[in-house]
Amino acid sequence: MRQETALQVNGLRVSYLAGEGEVKAVDDVTFSLYPGERLGVVGESGSGKTTLALALMRLHKPPASIKGGEARLGGRDILKLEQEDMRKLRWSELSLIPQGSMNSLNPVVRIKHQMADAIEAHDSSMTRAEINKHIVHLLGRVSLPESVAEMYPHELSGGMKQRVCIALAIILEPSVIIADEPTSALDVVVQRVVMQTLNDVQQQLNAAMIIIGHDMGLMAQSADRLAVMYAGKMVEVAPIASFFNDPQHPYSKLLISSLPSPEEKRELTGIPGSQPSLLDLPSGCAFHPRCPVAVERCKQEIPVLRQIDSQRRAACHLVEEQAS
Ligand code: SF4
């Protein structure tokens, strides 16, 4: 029996209208997110990860626009909601920890006032005493002491600021959290701590979470499943263990072979070439100029993300042929 999804995205397309033409930043993206699940989304810069996050929150700005598809959350297609309904849903059912969010804290306002403003914006029924109690509770959830409420952002380390941002994202206990590069600009040790905080919070709320990033090591430790994006498309989706043990898509294989391994001394291979311009994508499979196993068909036909077994999907002609 198929499990209920926390979020079901079907055929999502988001384009930027640039002077030179239409840039398909997210192109026909389909995926399911299950309650309590952590889905990692990886890809190079410009692969469409952040646009995907902003479009799901309906926080994308012109010249970006949603061109098609649906995103079902709680039985509703949130892409079709009126702005006012979407505003109510944001943070209460679906929340975002935006990229670089710790830099968006106001440096001259105490943490408690920034948190109180966010709480009041979403729930005007709470008294001052209830708000203060909620702030202490939220800080505790992200393992920060009560004293942080009285501090200014400049008095906090990067990791502490990021944990404040996580607290802000869970003010209304959403069922889906999207974390866009939640550990960027933090040093390696702090990255692990922040990621652990995020995972703890997600588990306490039993929320589903989309973690966007490019650090495969962090993904391996945190995500249950991984989705790989390339040039606006999802090209592989698989449970984390099978992704690392048996990647299917040639791009996934190259991503993994470019990772250092403590067990095995081997030459690290980079991925040849660079991601194509979305304004001028190669014909057929957008990865074909970089793909070491491309065949003639790859230059002509765009591969579709297909089920290759009960849990994995990949968009590659060769994988499809081998699976059939
Ligand atoms: Fe490589 Fe062809 Fe598969 Fe694209 S479809 S990843 S070019 S083998």
Side-chain angles (χ1 to χ4, degrees):
M1 196 175 68
R2 267 197 92 70
Q3 201 188 339
E4 276 286 300
T5 54
L7 177 70
Q8 176 64 47
V9 176
N10 295 322
L12 178 61
R13 291 186 291 119
V14 186
S15 291
Y16 290 88
L17 282 178
E20 303 90 330
E22 183 185 359
V23 171
K24 293 177 180 173
V26 173
D27 190 8
D28 198 13
V29 163
T30 294
F31 67 93
S32 308
L33 179 71
Y34 297 100
E37 181 188 41
R38 295 196 280 245
L39 175 71
V41 178
V42 293
E44 290 165 87
S45 311
S47 58
K49 310 181 300 288
T50 294
T51 304
L52 172 66
L54 292 175
L56 291 175
M57 294 295 294
R58 303 261 307 272
L59 290 173
H60 58 286
K61 301 227 163 65
S65 64
I66 295 174
K67 292 291 185 185
E70 61 173 12
R72 303 202 75 82
L73 184 140
R76 289 169 298 175
D77 179 1
I78 58 173
L79 303 185
K80 307 260 168 10
L81 288 182
E82 295 295 331
Q83 282 299 339
E84 181 53 23
D85 293 331
M86 189 65 205
R87 194 189 65 76
K88 287 184 191 148
L89 178 142
R90 259 184 232 122
W91 316 119
S92 63
E93 293 181 51
L94 174 68
S95 80
L96 173 70
I97 302 165
Q99 203 176 120
S101 54
M102 66 182 180
N103 300 321
S104 64
L105 293 172
N106 189 330
V108 294
V109 177
R110 288 185 201 276
I111 296 298
K112 68 175 180 186
H113 293 136
Q114 302 198 44
M115 293 183 76
D117 286 350
I119 294 168
E120 280 169 337
H122 295 103
D123 186 353
S124 53
S125 68
M126 285 171 94
T127 64
R128 179 57 51 189
E130 286 169 338
I131 289 174
N132 289 341
K133 200 171 157 200
H134 195 40
I135 289 171
V136 171
H137 168 72
L138 288 166
L139 289 173
R141 277 216 147 144
V142 295
S143 310
L144 287 174
E146 205 177 320
S147 55
V148 165
E150 298 296 333
M151 297 166 88
Y152 292 96
H154 71 84
E155 295 177 283
L156 305 178
S157 67
M160 291 168 91
K161 278 192 275 191
Q162 192 60 336
R163 279 189 272 164
V164 168
C165 293
I166 296 171
L168 286 167
I170 58 161
I171 278 174
L172 299 183
E173 306 202 342
S175 57
V176 176
I177 301 168
I178 304 174
D180 188 2
E181 304 269 6
T183 60
S184 62
L186 298 172
D187 69 47
V188 177
V189 176
V190 179
Q191 283 182 356
R192 297 286 186 273
V193 176
V194 167
M195 212 56 225
Q196 190 55 54
T197 303
L198 195 50
N199 292 344
D200 291 347
V201 160
Q202 174 261 340
Q203 277 179 340
Q204 287 160 16
L205 298 179
N206 194 29
M209 183 158 74
I210 298 173
I211 316 160
I212 292 172
H214 52 257
D215 184 330
M216 301 291 276
L218 273 183
M219 288 294 176
Q221 286 177 356
S222 295
D224 301 310
R225 281 192 305 148
L226 205 58
V228 180
M229 289 193 73
Y230 188 81
K233 286 184 178 291
M234 260 181 198
V235 296
E236 179 158 0
V237 185
I240 200 81
S242 55
F243 179 84
F244 280 97
N245 294 332
D246 184 25
Q248 296 294 303
H249 195 280
Y251 179 55
S252 308
K253 290 182 184 177
L254 287 171
L255 279 177
I256 290 172
S257 66
S258 64
L259 294 174
S261 158
E263 288 95 39
E264 200 191 333
K265 274 207 170 63
R266 59 181 160 83
E267 205 172 313
L268 296 181
T269 50
I271 303 176
S274 54
Q275 189 158 239
S277 160
L278 294 178
L279 268 170
D280 186 22
L281 283 177
S283 60
C285 173
F287 188 57
H288 88 251
R290 304 171 78 186
C291 181
V293 291
V295 293
E296 199 50 37
R297 181 184 176 198
C298 304
K299 296 181 191 163
Q300 284 140 24
E301 278 177 53
I302 299 175
V304 175
L305 186 67
R306 291 195 201 283
Q307 206 74 39
I308 51 171
D309 60 27
S310 63
Q311 293 188 298
R312 299 183 294 180
R313 292 186 300 149
C316 170
H317 297 312
L318 291 191
V319 174
E320 194 184 327
E321 282 167 19
Q322 281 156 14
S324 62

